[in-house]
Amino acid sequence: MPVILGVDVGGVLIARVEGDADTSFFGKRFLETPAVPGAIEAVARLHRGRFRDAVWIVSKCGEQIEARTREWLAHHGFHESTGIPPERLRFCRRRADKAPICDDLGITHFVDDRLEVLGYLARVPHRILFRPEEDEVRRHARHVESVVRCEDWEEVVRACEA
């Protein structure tokens, strides 16, 4: 059975910048928002390794943030660095809409920073919760036992290769 990886964007690939609106992804200088440390390198390793050309980027956002996400990924050389082409991006407007996208793509592993989202992905066998906010975890605690929690990208790589 093939393995297919899905990866969220905000808080997983693109860092959440607190307290500095200028370089937050929602500010005027959004292209300066940093990547999550180790994210691009780890995704490249997974794309070249176990998931051999079977990695998808799946994100929930509005039209403006979708355009910014595409621009940020291109600006930071994401596609060249990872080998994941722009055609492997999927966007939706509601968190719950990630579930049918994952079903359609046959996603077997998914990395997200929101436990709520991972709760919708009941048919994805390997769900990885990446550096979540604790209040969000408390609100969706019923899903904690069905995920693997990782605090950095090295842990994600190990979880995906297990």
Side-chain angles (χ1 to χ4, degrees), residues 5-142:
L5 176 63
V7 179
D8 180 38
V9 175
V12 176
L13 294 176
I14 300 175
R16 296 191 186 282
V17 176
E18 302 295 330
D20 185 2
D22 285 347
T23 59
S24 99
F25 201 68
F26 303 103
K28 291 179 181 176
R29 294 172 28 207
F30 70 94
L31 290 175
E32 295 176 38
T33 306
V36 170
I40 294 174
E41 299 82 3
V43 170
R45 280 175 42 206
L46 291 166
H47 187 255
R48 287 190 308 268
R50 181 169 192 210
F51 295 93
R52 290 189 178 65
D53 299 323
V55 178
W56 293 84
I57 306 304
V58 182
S59 181
K60 187 283 301 175
C61 58
E63 289 179 23
Q64 179 185 17
I65 298 302
E66 176 181 338
R68 284 183 174 204
T69 300
R70 290 179 185 280
E71 189 175 351
W72 187 95
L73 293 170
H75 178 79
H76 287 267
F78 177 82
H79 303 296
E80 295 80 11
S81 296
T82 64
I84 299 168
E87 296 78 29
R88 291 280 176 106
L89 304 175
R90 293 291 182 269
F91 293 92
C92 57
R93 303 300 180 234
R94 295 178 318 126
R95 290 184 181 121
D97 292 340
K98 287 186 179 185
I101 291 171
C102 288
D103 291 346
D104 289 345
L105 297 174
I107 301 285
T108 59
H109 296 68
F110 199 89
V111 183
D112 207 295
D113 64 328
R114 294 193 178 270
L115 187 54
E116 174 189 1
V117 169
L118 296 175
Y120 296 127
L121 306 183
R123 289 191 286 273
V124 174
H126 305 280
R127 292 172 278 169
I128 299 165
L129 180 61
F130 184 78
R131 294 174 33 183
E133 294 180 4
E134 290 306 318
D135 64 327
E136 203 263 346
V137 171
R138 282 189 292 278
R139 285 193 311 275
H140 301 283
R142 66 190 175 279

